[in-house]
Amino acid sequence: MPYATDPDALGALLPGEPRYRIDQLREWLYLHPVLDAEQMTNLPLSLRRDLADRLWPFRVEAERTTDDGATIKWLFRAGDGAAIEAVLMGYPHRTTLCISSQAGCAMACTFCATGQFGFDRHLTAGEIVAQVAYAAAHLRANPMPRSPARVGNVVFMGMGEPLANYPNVREAIRRIVEVMGLSARSITVSTVGVTPGIDRLATEPWPVTLALSLHAADDHLRETLVPLNHRYPLDHILAAAARFRAEKGRRVTLEWTLMSEVNDTPDQARALGAIARELRAHVNVIPMNPTPLAPQKRPPKARIDQFVDEVRRTGATVTLRDTRGIEIDAACGQLRVSSGG
Ligand code: SF4
């Protein structure tokens, strides 16, 4: 399958074909992706037919659209049955694609649908990049109503802990930047705190954004939400984030899934604000998308606003993220839940 191979080794897919054919294929796969090999108009018909079944390393099991066409969620299914989710969100001047790095996840965060399924396997670099290429091809063929017809931002916030699949995520970032031509600054790698991975990422040549999924401002609460906190407690994670910031000169973002009567208290807001100020980080508050698999709930609107105001009062910069696609189960792992696993 083309996407499971290194783009520099596409020749193996087209044995006996001249070099320029391989360059043409690389363009169709990575620079101007198309949904269907039939659309690779400068390739001979026989070659297009030969590639037809090998274009994507997965099939599209479900596609759901909401927000007047501005949010699309895909559930892809790999040949071995592994589920892969991606969500494309269109905004007036940008598009953001949320992609998966693993099928399932071993981190077992208690508020997360994916975490409740457990770990299936790592995604290959090809499977990660294919999510970006598929979304790009889909956007070209079906532009969103009010958004650019290209994928602008890529966030590793779908299924899986990206830094637990480091070599494949690294290679995927390399291909997205060096082969597909996206700016590294438009890529965000989100982690619940795999400290050695943060340090490794800081040594890479690409100035990606690091997003720390914090969700709690003290170890006691965080351990109940993110079991990995037992292994890498908050002071370790925050120190690694500070090193990343110093090394890369990139502002870190702190992600906070807001859960009713769990982490939405004024005390947590003030502690979060203090952490953000110390780290000179930006806070993103994301009200929880309800999931049948987790006991935590989304707070009422007034409570959400109070929390955000309290963080802001500390002097930290904070954004309240809109939660796209609640009615299509857009939170990580949820489409898989409603599709039956
Ligand atoms: S929140 Fe992220 S790291 Fe935690 S279980 Fe879900 S996918 Fe894994």
Side-chain angles (χ1 to χ4, degrees), residues 102 104-116 157-162 190-192 213 215 225-227 257 332-333:
Q102 298 176 312
C105 184
M107 297 296 152
C109 301
T110 58
F111 57 90
C112 167
T114 302
Q116 310 315 305
M157 291 188 184
M159 288 165 49
E161 162 55 60
S190 167
T191 177
V192 285
S213 297
H215 312 311
L225 299 172
V226 181
T257 300
C332 115

